[in-house]
Amino acid sequence: MKIIMLGAPGAGKGTQAKQIADKYSIPHISTGDIFRANIKNGTALGEKAKQYMDQGLLVPDELTCDLVMDRIQQDDCKNGFVLDGFPRTIPQAQALDAALEKIGQSLDYEIDVDVPDENIVNRMSGRRACLSCGATYHVVSIPTKVEGICDRCGSEVVLRDDDKPETVQKRLTVYHEQTQPLIDYYKKQNILKSVDGTQPMEAVFEAITQILGA
Ligand code: ADP
Ligand code: ADP
Ligand code: ZN
């Protein structure tokens, strides 16, 4: 099952993608997590990506596409994957389609997690992220069991630099300009499914499993 998740920054793509990955035993591939891991490890890619991420801008397609194409060709993706945060531009979507077509495959589902802008700033300012394992929490709606500590791996959870309100506003603008056009792109392929992301996390997941099948 090859799935991509679309939605504004903070819509809940990552939260849902992790649960999908667990339930259907497919890898969760988050480009944001890959970039953050590179930044943490001080790689050349991380250094380049950070310049864009800190400003709320997208990392250029030429730095992003090859990385994802390599990743989805690894052995653990044989039965599918859930891509979270990729594609984010039309050229990225075209690159993904072309890569899959080459191996006689295509995407199965494109799930759009729909949350209006007015809910997003609150979601982001309350988001706490574990930079070690990629888990995300929310101080009010999805808190860690112990304040400030990741339930999954015991590391510290932090407010991401790019989750501060000024940067979130910029990321939303970028989303509307560069990523939202993908909704029409996938509508034309008849694989787009929309879920109401303003519901509680469990209800959103229920709506997604209805789409994917048990
Ligand atoms: P969000 O919470 O907004 O979904 P992500 O963790 O997916 O955040 O991404 C964080 C940042 O990493 C983005 O704002 C962008 O700078 C960069 N990034 C992640 N995925 C992509 C992509 N597919 N193309 C370009 N930039 C990306
Ligand atoms: P994205 O990957 O789309 O950027 P996340 O999955 O990281 O979004 O979620 C953004 C923030 O909102 C996190 O703090 C997360 O814990 C919280 N969150 C996710 N889903 C819900 C939900 N259904 N209701 C309330 N808060 C949520
Ligand atoms: Zn963790």
Side-chain angles (χ1 to χ4, degrees):
M1 188 146 46
K2 291 179 286 303
I3 307 166
I4 59 177
M5 308 290 293
L6 200 69
K13 301 179 295 296
T15 301
Q16 298 300 328
K18 286 184 193 88
Q19 294 190 62
I20 294 170
D22 283 349
K23 180 169 164 104
Y24 297 94
S25 303
I26 49 178
H28 166 220
I29 304 172
S30 156
T31 39
D33 284 353
I34 295 172
F35 288 137
R36 279 184 291 277
N38 274 276
I39 293 173
K40 205 173 160 213
N41 296 329
T43 70
L45 172 67
E47 207 168 292
K48 282 190 207 148
K50 187 172 172 14
Q51 295 168 16
Y52 298 92
M53 291 166 77
D54 282 351
Q55 295 180 65
L57 300 173
L58 294 183
V59 178
D61 291 340
E62 53 275 26
L63 293 179
T64 309
C65 285
D66 290 351
L67 179 105
V68 175
M69 299 320 139
D70 285 348
R71 180 67 190 86
I72 62 172
Q73 280 167 40
Q74 287 171 22
D75 254 10
D76 63 335
C77 292
K78 268 206 303 271
N79 295 325
F81 49 76
V82 51
L83 264 178
D84 160 21
F86 185 97
R88 265 182 154 101
T89 63
I90 299 271
Q92 289 182 10
Q94 289 167 336
L96 179 61
D97 278 347
L100 290 172
E101 206 177 319
K102 242 193 196 157
I103 51 172
Q105 299 194 6
S106 61
L107 291 169
D108 298 304
Y109 297 99
E110 197 271 352
I111 296 179
D112 176 41
V113 184
D114 189 24
V115 174
D117 286 8
E118 47 277 25
N119 300 33
I120 294 291
V121 177
N122 162 48
R123 284 243 183 135
M124 304 297 251
S125 58
R127 169 155 69 183
R128 293 295 178 270
C130 173
L131 300 183
S132 291
C133 79
T136 50
Y137 304 90
H138 187 279
V139 287
V140 177
S141 51
I142 307 169
T144 51
K145 290 195 184 91
V146 179
E147 201 184 319
I149 301 296
C150 176
D151 293 354
R152 254 176 45 188
C153 77
S155 301
E156 193 191 358
V157 297
V158 296
L159 176 69
R160 272 166 44 184
D161 283 342
D162 61 344
D163 279 350
K164 308 213 161 104
E166 325 71 270
T167 320
V168 170
Q169 212 55 57
K170 179 71 197 167
R171 288 162 70 200
L172 274 173
T173 306
V174 167
Y175 168 74
H176 290 302
E177 285 174 5
Q178 300 193 54
T179 307
Q180 221 173 12
L182 289 177
I183 293 183
D184 276 339
Y185 179 91
Y186 287 113
K187 251 187 204 157
K188 288 191 191 119
Q189 296 189 6
N190 286 320
I191 57 168
L192 180 97
K193 303 278 180 191
S194 224
V195 294
D196 174 4
T198 64
Q199 308 170 87
M201 174 176 82
E202 296 78 10
V204 180
F205 188 57
E206 174 65 34
I208 291 174
T209 52
Q210 293 275 327
I211 292 166
L212 301 179

